[in-house]
Amino acid sequence: MSETLSLVGRNSEATPDVMKQVLVFGGTSDARFICQILDEHRISYTLSVATAVGESLAGNIGGQIRVGRIDSDEIADWLVNHAVQWVIDASHPYAELLSHNITRACETAGVTLSRYQRRSELNDLEHPLLHKVASLQAACVVAQAFGPRVLLTTGSKELAAYQQGLPGKTLLVRVLPTSEVIAECEALGLGVDNIIALRGPFSAEFNAATYDFCAPDVVMTKESGAEGGYLDKVTPALARNIPCVVVTRPQPLVSGSELLESREDVSRRVTRWLQERKS
């Protein structure tokens, strides 16, 4: 079941029949620039985000914002009830379940789906201390070979799984500074000596200072692209001979011309969508 949602109006000039013909799924800075492109073309849309943090990242966009988690059946209902003609999945590269739900709903409702996925930087750097793995479980196996202090920069959603996969390790977790996230950490037994509550992305200099302060034996992260500061996380760790374990991205479920990887791709796709509507 979804959480209680709210719909925040940002575009009072749009008519109800037109307002929700495009639905964008977001929660990161990627979704914001996509919405700004839609605003430039005066295209009415709704941005769907899971939490208030995602809403705050949207900034002053022109469309409406829907806040609350949603499953595949609820997405399909939304698409039908609001006459959505195009969905843009700009969710986080690791939001695998959400992307599956969006894909399934679009197939059910017969709605066009595009996927925006920021460019990967995974192959931009190779190093003997840089370990690239395909899953959380594999990451934990690799990390077990190193010392006891593990710095997790993978977010808060999978903390319990990391804790289970890293018995005997001291976990240092860098997470968002929200009361909900802090409560999740505390429920797992993580206290003030374990929690670094900050909102990124962070510069290489900031990460370097963090590593000097925390003295981790291994850093665990995800390949979140330039927008997520991937190289800025990994490079200063390797410079300090700190091993890094990187969980690689899941493969996108959309391919071909509907897989968008840059602002230029998005702009071209928006132009094509407008042309398709005129034909």
Side-chain angles (χ1 to χ4, degrees), residues 136-152:
L136 181 155
Q137 293 76 18
C140 290
V141 170
V142 173
Q144 284 288 3
F146 302 115
R149 294 176 64 80
V150 179
L151 176 58
L152 289 174

Side-chain angles (χ1 to χ4, degrees), residues 9 11 26 44 74 80 87 93-94 110 112 125 143 145 152 170 175 195 227 235 241 247 253 275:
N11 192 346
S44 298
E74 291 166 329
V80 172
V87 171
Y94 290 84
T112 299
L125 179 63
L152 289 174
T170 299
V175 296
I195 302 170
E227 295 86 347
T235 303
N241 292 317
V247 180
L253 302 176
Q275 292 170 345

